[in-house]
Amino acid sequence: MSMDVKRMISGVAGLAIGLGVLVLGGPQASAATNFELPFPCGQTWSGQTRTNHSPQLAIDLNRGADEGDAVVASASGTVSKVRNEGSTSYGRWIEINHGSGWTTRYAHLSAQKVSVGQSVSQGQTIGNVGNTGGSTGAHLHFEQLLNGSPQKIKFSGTTILYYGTKNYKSNNKCGGGGTTNPYTPEEACGDGYKVIDGANVTGARVSLLYNASNGYNCVVAIKTTKIGTASDVGAFLEVQGEARTTDRDEYGYYAGPVKKKAPGKCVKWGGVVGSSSYTSGFEHCG
C-alpha cells in the first residue's frame, strides 16, 4: 500500500473520531436495563457461578427449602418465550424481552404464571422455583442476554461474582409507594398450597397453608403496611416434638415461606412484625 493511501485512511479515521463517529466494531450496544435479583424485595439468595456452567455466564440461585418459592421479573418487559423441555435442558422456562436487545431467562421452574406476549412489570411474579429439566435439585437458573448472547450478570448495576458462590439480597421493587401487597399467600408458598388458617398482627396477615399433594405445611406473613419497604417481619412453623423454624428479616413484602411436613403430628405457627406477634397453639393435627 502506498504512503498516500495510508495517509488518506489515517485522515478519514481521524476525521471520524473527531466527529464522534464509531468506525470499527459496529454500533455501540444500548445500556443495560436496571436488572434486579429475580426475587421479592429483601430476600437473600445464594448465587453460584462456575466455569463449567452452560452457558458459562449464567447463575444458579438457591436457598433452603426453596422449591415453589416465587420467581419475579428482573425488569419490566414482554414475555417472549414460555417453554417446557420436559426432563431435559431448562425444563420449564421463561424468557422476557426488555428491549434494546436485552432478554432474561428463568429456568427449571415448577410452574409458569405468564404467557407469551404478556407485559410484565419489575417484581411481578412470573413463576415458581422448581427442579425440572436437567436439574439435580431445586434452584433458579438465570441468564441476562444481549442480542441472544449471554452477558456477565448485573444486579442493581453491580456485576456478580465470577467464579464462586456469594449471597445476594434482593432490591427488586424496594422503596415502597404501594398500598396493596401484590403477593398472596398462595403465590409465596407455590402451586398446590391452600390457606387453611390465618391471623392478623399489626402490619401483616399470617397464613397457614397446606399442600395435599406433597403433605407440606407452609407459613407466610404477608405485610399490610410499609409495603415495598424493607422492614422487620417474620414467620415461623413448629412441628410438635421438633425444633421451630423461623424466617425473620427486613423484607419488603413478606416473610417465609416456611415449609415442613407433619405426618400424624400437630403444628404451631405464627408471625411477627416488630413488637406485634401471633402464636397459635398446637393444632391442625394429622
Side-chain angles (χ1 to χ4, degrees):
M1 183 184 293
S2 70
M3 287 301 296
D4 289 341
V5 173
K6 288 182 179 178
R7 290 192 186 100
M8 183 183 297
I9 293 174
S10 176
V12 171
L15 176 61
I17 292 170
L19 293 174
V21 177
L22 183 63
V23 176
L24 301 177
Q28 289 180 304
S30 300
T33 300
N34 185 28
F35 296 112
E36 298 290 356
L37 198 74
F39 300 104
C41 171
Q43 291 187 358
T44 298
W45 288 74
S46 175
Q48 182 195 67
T49 55
R50 56 189 187 275
T51 55
N52 65 346
H53 208 172
S54 180
Q56 187 173 327
L57 297 181
I59 185 172
D60 283 344
L61 293 155
N62 185 245
R63 67 176 188 169
D66 57 8
E67 188 159 6
D69 283 6
V71 176
V72 307
S74 179
S76 61
T78 302
V79 178
S80 52
K81 295 177 184 177
V82 178
R83 302 279 177 82
N84 186 355
E85 310 291 344
S87 60
T88 63
S89 186
Y90 288 167
R92 292 183 178 273
W93 63 284
I94 292 167
E95 182 175 280
I96 299 175
N97 185 339
H98 305 283
S100 300
W102 287 95
T103 56
T104 50
R105 288 182 181 174
Y106 313 73
H108 304 311
L109 302 171
S110 64
Q112 296 139 301
K113 305 286 191 181
V114 291
S115 57
V116 172
Q118 180 178 339
S119 294
V120 293
S121 58
Q122 188 174 57
Q124 180 177 334
T125 299
I126 60 170
N128 298 95
V129 173
N131 188 24
T132 59
S135 172
T136 57
H139 71 282
L140 178 70
H141 171 103
F142 178 78
E143 301 171 26
Q144 290 173 0
L145 305 97
L146 178 60
N147 298 322
S149 297
Q151 305 294 302
K152 283 194 171 182
I153 292 167
K154 292 184 178 182
F155 295 134
S156 300
T158 300
T159 303
I160 63 172
L161 172 68
Y162 287 96
Y163 292 92
T165 302
K166 181 179 177 179
N167 286 341
Y168 301 93
K169 189 166 185 176
S170 177
N171 290 316
N172 199 321
K173 293 297 288 183
C174 295
T179 58
T180 302
N181 198 313
Y183 299 102
T184 66
E186 292 85 357
E187 279 184 301
C189 288
D191 272 2
Y193 285 89
K194 303 297 181 185
V195 175
I196 60 173
D197 209 341
N200 291 324
V201 296
T202 303
R205 173 73 176 175
V206 187
S207 297
L208 173 68
L209 298 85
Y210 181 71
N211 189 328
S213 65
N214 61 21
Y216 274 88
N217 301 277
C218 178
V219 178
V220 291
I222 306 289
K223 292 175 62 177
T224 55
T225 60
K226 298 183 180 179
I227 295 167
T229 299
S231 61
D232 180 38
V233 59
F236 75 84
L237 178 60
E238 179 181 343
V239 177
Q240 197 164 22
E242 300 179 13
R244 177 178 298 186
T245 299
T246 301
D247 178 38
R248 184 175 183 179
D249 206 332
E250 292 192 346
Y251 294 121
Y253 297 95
Y254 60 84
V258 182
K259 300 176 183 178
K260 285 182 177 243
K261 283 187 175 181
K265 297 181 180 180
C266 305
V267 296
K268 182 182 287 188
W269 57 280
V272 58
V273 175
S275 60
S276 178
S277 65
Y278 170 79
T279 301
S280 77
F282 281 110
E283 56 187 16
H284 297 288
C285 308

